[in-house]
Structure formats: C-alpha cells, structure tokens
C-alpha cells in the first residue's frame, strides 16, 4: 500500500494493455477531449435517458394541464404573432392569409424549443448542484438532457402541426429533407449555446439575466413574427447574422412555401430573402460552436466542484 | 460499463489547492485565468497566490484488491478532499490519480433523489447516476427495496419520506451496486440502530469481497474493524501510515487530537511507565508516573488524572483523579505516583492518558505523556466491560427439579 516506484511502473505497463484507467490528462488535446465526450455520451446513455425521463416527469407532474402545455406555449407565441400580422395587414388594407399563420406556427415551434432549452439548460448545472458536487458523471449530461427534454416537449407541438397542415391543405412534402437537416442543425446550435451558457452560469450569475433578456426580447431579433423581406436588403443582411434566421426562415420556406433551399429567392422589395449561404452559415455556426463549446465545457467542468 | 476485476486506486504525489473565501469575485482576475484554462496551459509548480492553501500535500498511496484503507484525522485534514478526488468530482492540482474500475461510493447516498419522483423512479435515477444499467437495476430492484425497508412507500414521492427513509433507500441502492472499488464515507450512521447494524454488515461483506476499499469515518471502531491499513492525515499531510490500530493510536495520542496544554501549571508529568505493555484481560496494570512540582506555583489546587481510552472507538472508558485517593503532593520537587488499574476490558489496544487538572481554574494545566497497552484475551465475556458476574439459583418448588 505504501507507494513504491516499482509497483508504480508495473501499473503503467499493465494499464497500457488493458482499458485505460481514469487518469488525469492535463495535457489532453482538443481531439482527445472530443473523443472522451463522445465515449462518455455513449457509455452514460442510460443516465441521459433517466435524467430526461426525470425532467419530463417533473414537468408534467402536479400540473393541471400537463402535456397540453407543450402545445399551449407555442400557440400563445402564434397568437401574439397573429396579432402583429393582423395589425400590419389592416394597415395595408388586406387580410391575414392562412399561409402566413402556418409560417408563423412553424417558426414558433422552433423558437419555443430554442428559448425553452436555453432557459432550462442554462439552469441545469446550478439546479443540480447537490449532484455535481457529490457524484461524478460527465457533466455534459445535465445541459444535454435539458435540451433533449425540451426537444421531446416541442415535438408534441410539431406533431400537432403535422396533423393540422395536411388538414388545411398546407405544406410541401418536398421540403421534408430540408426540414430534417434544419432540425439537426437547430438542436446542435441549441446544445452548443446551452453548454456555454450553463457552464458560464456556474461561475457568473449574470448569465441568468442575459438568458432572461433573450427569452423576453430575443424574438424581436429573430424572424419569427415577421418574414425577412419586411426590412429590405439592409435589414436582411443584419438579420442574417443571427444563425437562427437561416434555420427558422429555411423551415418556413421549405415547408410552407415549398421553396428549394438550394436556390436563392429574391423578395418583392428586391432583398435576398433566401440564399443557401444562410443555411451554410447557420450550419457552420452550429457545428463549429458545438465543437468549441464541448471543449470549453469539458475544460471548465473539471473545476466545477472547486468553484461552486 | 467495462468491468475491471483487478481494480485499484493509486495516488502518486497528489497535491490539491483550494482558495479561501469567494472565488473569482473580480472579472479582471477571472478573464485571464479563464483564457489560460481555454488554452489548456497550466504551469506546473505554480506557487500559492494570495488566499490559496494546500488542502492536500504530496499524498501517495495504493489500494489493491483485498485491501481496505482507512483515512483518519481531525476535521480539515483532507479526508473528504481525497474522496472527492477518488470519485473524480475534483481534479488534483498536481500529481497523478489512477482509479481503475467502477467506483461504488457510499457517500451522500441520496444526492440524486428528486423529491417529486416516487421511490421507484428514484431508484432507477439514482442507480443510473451511480453507473448501473437499467437491466441491472430491474434485476436487483426487489432486493434494494427489501433491504431499505420502505417497500410500502415505494410508489410514494420521496418528499413524503422521512430523512431516515431517504437515507436508507439511498444506501440500499449504493450497496447493491457490485462495484469494482468501494468508497465509504460516514454513511454507517444512516437510519436507526437496527439499520445501522445491517448497513455495517453489508459494508463488511463488500469489504471482504476482495475489492479495494477506502473508508472515512470518525467512528474509529469502524476503521479498526473494517480496514487492513490506515493513513493518519493532518492538515493535508500524511503523518502516519500503517495498521489501523497504530494510526488510531497515533491519532488519539498525537498532537492533532490532544493539543498541548500551556506549561504554566504547578505540576508536570515527565514520564509514564506501565508494568506491562501486553497483558490479559482482567489482569492488573500498574501505571507509574514521574512528576515534579514547581516551587513558585500552587500545587495544592492541582490533581493528576489518568484515563483509559479505547483505541478502537476513541471512547474514554475510565478516568480517575488523584484527589479521590486523598493524595497530597509536595509543594516542590520530584515525586512518583503508582496507580493500579484492573483491566476488565475486551481484548484490544488501549491508550493510557495522563494530564494535570487545575481544580480552581477548571482547566487542563498540563498534558502528560500517554502510552498504549495491548490487552489479550483473558477472561472471556461479551460487551465492553468485565463486570465479574456472580450468580445464584433459588428454586421455590423443588418438585419441578429434574435430577
């Protein structure tokens, strides 16, 4: 038991042949770290499942409306957007088209997923402090399971749209593949942001306020209530900086308008309302951000127990 | 999960730095350090900055299968920090920590419980947190619930459980984990006396299961019963390393446990000697003390006290004072005292402690030397004290006697 160098050397010789022991790799490269995270996500998939199941159960336990909330939340966003759209339409002396509402609905589901996951995910580490300081497991599981929980929740709203659209005669099946890609990118982008926000929230409580601002007002900086062509070419360029723009507008154009996202689209004001570059940009931000935030989170999470 | 049947734990020169007070209260400090962390460059041998201290200094040990290491020491010695490093909750500042195999941690056994979930849901959740697979939990579910004794309430949200019920359920999950390595921290104090006995037996069975075990406990008896080795820690350093008995003795007799009294008393105890260092239970032990009185102080108000402490439990079993014998010390010069003690105790190691007591000031005026004695099996009895029982039988109606 007393530490001796010979036994020590023998240990390392042995550990090379067998599975690697849980050592400390202070000099681990970014790639090793990403591989570690990937391995952990697979090794701990059971815990990811259990944490998600826990969060879903808690969400609907002791609530009168239960699962209905999953539909009600985006519905309220749609109503708010419909009021704004009605105001614009009445000024222009026309009515609000069903297509417009359908576009609004699809973007509302995406938006409520994003802010729901952001709010829930940012608090995921601090809300589980007792666990973080007492039991080891890959800490990524907490924010990731928060995003997965919100995804399950939002898929109920999405399923409602899936039933309603064919009934109303809206929607183009041709956009389904694009929509799938957009969903993957949206989840990746959300996980990236949530990983960063949740770990920053451990160290700085300012993050909570930032998230609150995004939740309340972020919708005005994203094309949810309005479509891109409402602002002219300059406005489009500004909006295009928001990676959510490409994803939300892309989903609307692919499903509601039936536009092929591989080709650009010029709006009535002459602005480029769609360019494949928007999607490429959103995709690079999402995937690049995911890689970066995974590394940052891994590095920071080693010290969570020391700081909280 | 990959199973390792040759699990082991090894610390090689592990250091751990902590900070006092608030961390990162200034953004100005935080940004460069955060940036450094991002780049991943940590200068080894980084000294201590203002407000930092070493919680662990150069800790090395190795625990292999069949070994059980006990960590003892006063509060703040670094025991919990070692456990947090072992369980990967924290990272060492320097040094290498190798942990091979799935750790079963009997620490904070109910940490993952969610109050709104039922006992059943929490068993699956906590099991997953501890690294169990769903199938494994399902297979052992009945056993876990049975052991915890909360079967009736298994479908009730745990917020309606008493704290004892929660702890019992948590302990049961952790104790059914089949780990490759076991870490135990003070959980032996869970539940009522009956459950504690059951829990202790369970831990004992796990320890004998030939896996590496690390135990932290202030119940020194748990350490001496469960462990094969021990480390005595004080302020982050290893100050003794050896058998549990030796470490417990060093802890009880050492400066860490008994702070030296100020030497301003009239009487000082210079040496202690016992008639034997090994004796049988029931035999008489004579303790001889060489003392001295200072002429310029008032010796009359001081007495000398001799105590017998169990090394296994740390409990003081007996203490006597010289004033009970009507002793009058000289006002100056050396003198000797002999005290005879009948060692009516179980086999084990006992610590004979001495100190001078100031009756007027009601304080320890001098901490004297102590010595350990080893009591072997003599008269056999159950319990901790030999009461020299004697018995008589009186039969009222002799007709019922079978001869």
């Amino acid at each position: 038991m007393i530490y001796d160098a010979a036994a020590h050397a023998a240990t390392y010789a042995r550990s090379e042949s067998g599975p690697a022991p849980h050592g400390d790799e202070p000099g681990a490269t970014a790639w090793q770290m990403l591989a570690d995270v990937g391995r952990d996500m697979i090794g701990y998939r059971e815990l990811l499942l259990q944490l998600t199941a826990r969060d879903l159960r808690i969400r609907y336990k002791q609530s009168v409306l239960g699962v209905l909330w999953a539909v009600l939340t985006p519905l309220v966003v749609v109503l708010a957007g419909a009021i704004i759209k009605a105001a614009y339409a009445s000024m222009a002396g026309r009515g609000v088209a069903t297509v417009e509402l359908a576009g609004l609905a699809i973007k509302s589901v995406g938006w409520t997923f994003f802010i729901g996951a952001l709010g829930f995910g940012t608090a995921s580490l601090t809300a589980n402090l007792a666990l973080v300081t007492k039991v080891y497991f890959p800490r990524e599981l907490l924010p990731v399971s928060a995003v997965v929980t919100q995804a399950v929740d939002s898929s109920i709203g999405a399923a409602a749209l899936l039933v309603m659209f064919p009934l109303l005669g809206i929607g183009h099946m041709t956009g389904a593949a694009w929509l799938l890609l957009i969903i993957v990118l949206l989840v990746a982008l959300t996980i990236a942001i949530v990983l960063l926000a949740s770990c920053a929230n451990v160290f700085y409580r300012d993050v909570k306020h930032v998230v609150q601002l995004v939740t309340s007002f972020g919708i005005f900086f994203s094309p949810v209530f309005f479509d891109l062509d409402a602002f002219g070419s300059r406005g489009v360029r500004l909006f295009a900086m928001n990676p959510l723009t490409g994803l939300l507008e892309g989903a609307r154009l692919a499903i509601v308008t039936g536009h092929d996202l591989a080709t650009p689209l010029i709006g009535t004001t002459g602005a480029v309302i769609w360019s494949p570059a928007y999607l490429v940009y959103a995709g690079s931000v999402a995937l690049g951000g995911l890689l970066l935030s995974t590394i940052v989170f891994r590095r920071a999470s080693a010290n969570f127990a020391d700081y909280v | 999960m990959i199973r390792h049947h040759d699990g082991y734990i090894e610390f090689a020169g592990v250091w751990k730095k902590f900070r006092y007070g608030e961390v990162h209260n200034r953004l100005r400090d935080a940004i460069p350090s955060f940036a450094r962390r991002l780049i991943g460059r940590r200068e080894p041998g980084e000294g201590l900055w203002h407000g930092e201290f070493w919680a662990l200094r150069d800790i090395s040990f190795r625990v292999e299968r069949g070994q059980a290491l006990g960590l003892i020491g006063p509060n703040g010695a670094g025991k919990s920090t070692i456990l947090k490093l072992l369980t990967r909750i924290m990272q060492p500042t320097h040094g290498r920590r190798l942990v091979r195999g799935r750790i079963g941690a009997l620490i904070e056994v109910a940490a993952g419980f969610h109050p709104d979930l039922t006992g059943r849901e929490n068993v699956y959740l906590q099991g997953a947190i501890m690294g169990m697979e769903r199938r494994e939990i399902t297979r052992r579910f009945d056993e876990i619930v049975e052991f915890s004794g909360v079967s009736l309430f298994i479908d009730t949200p745990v917020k309606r459980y008493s704290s004892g019920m929660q702890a019992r359920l948590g302990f049961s999950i952790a104790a059914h984990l089949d780990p490759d390595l076991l870490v135990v921290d003070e959980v032996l104090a869970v539940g009522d006396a009956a459950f504690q006995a059951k829990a202790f037996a369970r831990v004992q069975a796990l320890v004998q299961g030939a896996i590496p075990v690390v135990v932290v406990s202030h119940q020194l008896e748990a350490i001496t019963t469960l462990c094969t080795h021990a480390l005595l820690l004080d302020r982050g350093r290893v100050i003794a390393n050896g058998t549990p008995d030796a470490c417990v003795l060093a802890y009880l007799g050492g400066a860490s446990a008994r702070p030296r009294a100020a030497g301003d008393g009239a009487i000082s105890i210079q040496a202690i000697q016992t008639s034997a260092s090994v004796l049988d239970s029931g035999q008489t032990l004579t303790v001889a003390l060489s003392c001295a009185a200072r002429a310029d102080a008032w010796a009359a108000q001081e007495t000398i006290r001799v105590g017998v402490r169990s090394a296994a439990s740390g409990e003081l079993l007996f203490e006597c004072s010289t004033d009970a014998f009507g002793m009058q010390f000289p006002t100056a010069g050396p003198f000797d005292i002999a005290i005879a003690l009948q060692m009516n105790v179980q086999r084990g190691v006992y610590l004979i402690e001495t100190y001078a007591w100031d009756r007027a000031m009601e304080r320890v005026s001098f901490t004297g030397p102590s010595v350990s004695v080893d009591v072997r099996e003599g008269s056999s009895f159950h319990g901790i004290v030999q009461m020299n029982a004697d018995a008589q039988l009186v039969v009222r109606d002799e007709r019922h006697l079978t001869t």
Side-chain angles (χ1 to χ4, degrees), chain A residues 45 64 69 72-73 102-104 134 140 145 147 163-164 172 187 210 212 217 224 246 250 265 269 298:
Chain A
R45 60 189 183 282
V64 180
W69 280 114
L72 271 177
T73 319
L104 181 59
K134 283 160 191 164
E140 289 87 358
S145 88
V147 175
V163 174
M164 269 163 58
H172 299 264
V187 171
V210 175
Q212 231 151 33
F217 301 110
V224 179
L265 185 69
T269 54
R298 221 345 101 114

Side-chain angles (χ1 to χ4, degrees), chain B residues 265-322:
Chain B
I267 291 171
S268 57
I269 307 160
Q270 273 134 11
I272 181 169
Q273 215 171 8
T274 53
S275 56
S277 57
V278 178
L279 71 161
D280 288 338
S281 175
Q283 281 187 329
T284 299
L285 178 77
T286 309
V287 180
L289 305 177
S290 311
C291 314
R294 249 170 51 203
D296 57 338
W298 198 12
Q301 68 179 26
E302 291 186 12
T303 68
I304 289 174
R305 294 190 174 187
V306 173
V308 179
R309 195 179 286 276
S310 157
S313 65
E315 207 179 344
L316 184 67
L317 299 179
F318 175 77
E319 191 178 83
C320 62
S321 174
T322 51

